[in-house]
Amino acid sequence: MRRRGPGAEHGRVTETIPGLFLSLPEVLVLLGAVALLVARWLPPAARRPVTVVAGVVLVPSAIVLGIVGIRWQMLPVLAGAAFSSGFALPPLLRRGAGRPAWRARWWLALPGSLACTGLIATGPVAAWAFPVPVFPEPTGAFAVGTRAVQWTDPLRPESFTADPDDRRTVVVQLWYPAQKSPAGVPRAQYLGRTEGEARTVSEALADGVGLPGFLVDGVPRARSRAVVDAPVAGGGERFPVVMFSPGSGGVRSQNTAWAEELASHGYLVAALDHPYDSAVVVLADGRTIRATTASSGDRDRDEELAAGWTAVRAADLGFVLTQLERLDRGETADPLTGHLDTGRAVAAGHSLGGAAALQSARQDRRFDAVVDLDGYPHGPTAPALEQPALALTQEIAAGTDPRYLPRLTEALEHSTAKSYRLTVPGAGHLTFMDGPLYLPPVPSIVGTLGRAESPRVVAGATLVFLDAVLRGRPGDPADTLRTYGTVYTVSPSGARGTSEVVREARARAARAAASPARST
């Protein structure tokens, strides 16, 4: 039996209850605070037992939170409980023989109780607005494993530093189909390999959007659905590869819910951290590289900068695909050797990462398809894109950059393959990442799809496209994509039809099935 990690019990205590956005100790603290609040207004016979029970529930729960780490959302609740105790406890204390216990007059207790009510209510409202994210259970047939690897390209200098000996290094997180792990095995830490790395990443992400870090202190407490280093799924099946590049200032784990859903359906997802462009990258030796890319404020200059960053990211995607090919061939001993079908590979990305996915596919014909999650296509549109593409976009509104749709349409039409643009009603730019799981449900920030629906729609639409172009699923993917929004099929002159794309996908799948899996 696998030994549980030292943080297993800690994670169990701090795990939030679905729908309540609070952990069990936090719920008990909230209930104790409410009981103290109402005790002052109860009949004398009920006042003492309610106050005693409230204290018995609240004090140990507060101590537990102090040990495992208290969230800022609980501070107003504890403050409200402390003030409420000033009204609830004195009536229980006798002042001496024949002397009645002191009790606050109603005209003093009433405004005090109302103020305490406001403090206590702030806690659950804040926990709802900035929750510990709860990741959806993947719906595929496979369990999900994950791990992070680090690779250095000896042939490519690091363009963001002046050191001539510095070489480009990327950190990659892999999500893959895995065997089911025993009950009780801890799930993977979100945002990092350790809680310390997760906190570093969370603070960098908050700083990147101008938020105080404490507002999202629940994010590094989260656990995803994957298990670190879980055994690879058996059966000899080879898994198509989906490369992923995050948005500008994003990080490799920003689309964890999406990646886990794809992995549960038999895909390997490899998500990259791009040093000096991602919000922060923690290397294996502990070094921390923070983002140095920044907009200038000048539109033409910013477009030039973005095109350069896109080119670096595109090169990163191609380099990592090469490393996965080497890994699959067994050039380095690895549990995934013989399980990766790098002959069926997809370039995907969110925002600037979507632009990088388009660019990498133009330059590298090893990629068979592209998935662009609301990314503006920076850089040149040549050479022509020969692979089918799916572009998911947010709902177009008055505030949308007027250049976005024309530029995206131009990029898709400058192609020899049929492509699809899916506009998702109610989606915002951050709908296409994990943001809806832990950010306030404000439409201008995360759209209106909600915390449960956002990851379902994005992953579901992606799987429809991937299954069609990589696995040869019959039918036009546009027919199923319409269940997620409005579909525009881009069929430029000379484009291959859907039937041809499907035939090629079926041929690739047949070749993969006929190829014997290599052993480690």
Side-chain angles (χ1 to χ4, degrees):
M1 176 179 284
R2 179 174 296 187
R3 186 184 301 274
R4 294 219 306 254
E9 292 303 324
H10 179 280
R12 192 182 303 278
V13 170
T14 59
E15 188 168 303
T16 58
I17 301 171
L20 292 180
F21 305 104
L22 298 170
S23 66
L24 180 58
E26 290 171 340
V27 170
L28 294 176
V29 165
L30 181 63
L31 292 176
V34 171
L36 282 177
L37 176 65
V38 301
R40 160 63 179 79
W41 305 98
L42 294 176
R47 196 174 303 141
R48 179 180 293 273
V50 169
T51 302
V52 170
V53 170
V56 169
V57 169
L58 190 150
V59 173
S61 300
I63 292 174
V64 169
L65 291 181
I67 294 172
V68 302
I70 189 167
R71 291 197 293 160
W72 66 270
Q73 291 93 332
M74 287 293 101
L75 296 180
V77 176
L78 291 173
F83 287 128
S84 295
S85 65
F87 298 110
L89 292 178
L92 306 183
L93 305 176
R94 297 187 180 279
R95 299 175 61 186
R99 300 180 66 187
W102 179 85
R103 185 184 183 192
R105 300 288 185 178
W106 72 267
W107 48 266
L108 177 63
L110 181 59
S113 294
L114 291 175
C116 290
T117 299
L119 284 172
I120 294 171
T122 298
V125 171
W128 168 79
F130 294 96
V132 176
V134 176
F135 285 85
E137 191 74 45
T139 63
F142 295 99
V144 180
T146 188
R147 63 189 174 94
V149 294
Q150 180 175 306
W151 286 313
T152 299
D153 187 348
L155 303 178
R156 191 155 54 112
E158 176 55 75
S159 59
F160 286 96
T161 66
D163 183 355
D165 297 324
D166 196 5
R167 292 295 179 264
R168 184 67 172 171
T169 296
V170 293
V171 179
V172 183
Q173 185 152 354
L174 307 177
W175 289 269
Y176 56 88
Q179 300 176 30
K180 186 176 181 180
S181 297
V185 173
R187 294 170 297 165
Q189 175 79 47
Y190 182 50
L191 288 188
R193 287 158 286 197
T194 65
E195 187 169 344
E197 180 180 345
R199 291 197 176 280
T200 298
V201 173
S202 176
E203 291 168 1
L205 289 173
D207 183 63
V209 295
L211 285 176
F214 77 88
L215 286 179
V216 290
D217 72 344
V219 179
R221 297 169 179 259
R223 299 275 173 164
S224 71
R225 297 294 180 175
V227 172
V228 176
D229 292 328
V232 181
E237 183 174 352
R238 298 168 66 80
F239 309 117
V241 173
V242 180
M243 311 291 300
F244 178 78
S245 177
S248 179
V251 293
R252 67 179 189 265
S253 51
Q254 68 163 55
N255 278 58
T256 289
W258 177 84
E260 290 183 343
E261 179 68 5
L262 266 58
S264 78
H265 285 266
Y267 292 90
L268 177 128
V269 180
L272 284 67
D273 269 335
H274 302 281
Y276 304 99
D277 193 354
S278 292
V280 66
V281 181
V282 180
L283 300 181
D285 61 6
R287 286 184 297 149
T288 299
I289 300 176
R290 299 189 178 275
T292 60
T293 56
S295 299
S296 67
D298 178 82
R299 174 177 289 188
D300 293 336
R301 175 57 179 160
D302 285 345
E303 177 58 35
E304 181 182 345
L305 288 170
W309 303 333
T310 300
V312 172
R313 285 165 167 257
D316 288 345
L317 289 170
F319 166 67
V320 172
L321 181 57
T322 298
Q323 295 304 108
L324 291 175
E325 289 175 337
R326 297 180 60 193
L327 184 152
D328 184 62
R329 289 194 299 265
E331 294 185 21
T332 56
D334 192 279
L336 286 168
T337 296
H339 290 282
L340 305 184
D341 186 359
T342 53
R344 290 185 290 172
V346 174
H350 171 247
S351 195
L352 185 65
L358 287 164
Q359 191 67 8
S360 62
R362 291 192 192 96
Q363 299 170 352
D364 193 334
R365 302 307 183 191
R366 292 177 298 172
F367 290 110
D368 297 293
V370 181
V371 176
D372 173 12
L373 303 179
D374 207 33
Y376 181 96
H378 296 285
T381 57
L385 185 68
E386 295 183 358
Q387 302 93 325
L390 170 66
L392 276 70
T393 73
Q394 61 183 296
E395 192 167 24
I396 307 303
T400 304
D401 187 338
R403 302 170 299 165
Y404 176 39
L405 279 186
R407 177 68 172 174
L408 179 59
T409 301
E410 177 189 3
L412 296 179
E413 288 181 343
H414 195 66
S415 168
T416 60
K418 176 179 284 190
S419 296
Y420 307 90
R421 175 165 60 86
L422 171 64
T423 299
V424 181
H429 188 57
L430 300 187
T431 297
F432 301 98
M433 54 173 291
D434 294 333
L437 296 176
Y438 58 82
L439 292 174
V442 178
S444 60
I445 299 176
V446 296
T448 59
L449 292 178
R451 286 176 172 144
E453 188 70 1
S454 293
R456 185 194 72 82
V457 167
V458 179
T462 302
L463 282 168
V464 168
F465 176 72
L466 295 183
D467 287 346
V469 301
L470 294 186
R471 288 177 164 155
R473 177 168 291 179
D476 188 340
D479 296 336
T480 308
L481 287 172
R482 288 189 183 94
T483 63
Y484 297 103
T486 304
V487 179
Y488 300 87
T489 302
V490 182
S491 300
S493 176
R496 294 173 295 164
T498 301
S499 59
E500 184 177 348
V501 171
V502 170
R503 282 198 300 272
E504 290 183 2
R506 289 175 179 168
R508 285 194 295 268
R511 288 194 297 271
S515 176
R518 304 177 183 89
S519 59
T520 55

